[in-house]
Amino acid sequence: HPVLTMGVEQTAEDHGARVTAVGSLRRDEGGLERFMTSVAEAYVGGASVDWAGTFAGTGARRVDLPTYAFQ
């Protein structure tokens, strides 16, 4: 639950553990898009994600990001 994420992170921090807590379900946001957003948040927080496996068969492909903000 989103309300619990801050408490979970603070408790872990008090015990010297680095964690990132993410909510996978939110009111009126419970579908695949919300779940994938949570996976991305976990990835940014340091979790390992098999992106190739996640997007296998979807037609998604890697693209180069611009090296300059205005490209």
Side-chain angles (χ1 to χ4, degrees):
H1 192 279
V3 174
L4 300 176
T5 57
M6 185 179 294
V8 169
E9 289 176 338
Q10 288 175 347
T11 300
E13 184 178 306
D14 290 346
H15 289 77
R18 182 182 173 276
V19 300
T20 299
V22 297
S24 59
L25 296 175
R26 295 186 177 176
R27 186 176 319 218
D28 300 323
E29 288 185 67
L32 182 60
E33 184 176 344
R34 173 69 246 172
F35 181 75
M36 291 304 295
T37 300
S38 296
V39 171
E41 291 171 355
Y43 177 76
V44 170
S48 177
V49 177
D50 177 11
W51 292 114
T54 300
F55 291 103
T58 66
R61 61 184 176 82
R62 288 180 176 255
V63 296
D64 292 330
L65 294 176
T67 56
Y68 180 68
F70 298 103
Q71 281 184 314

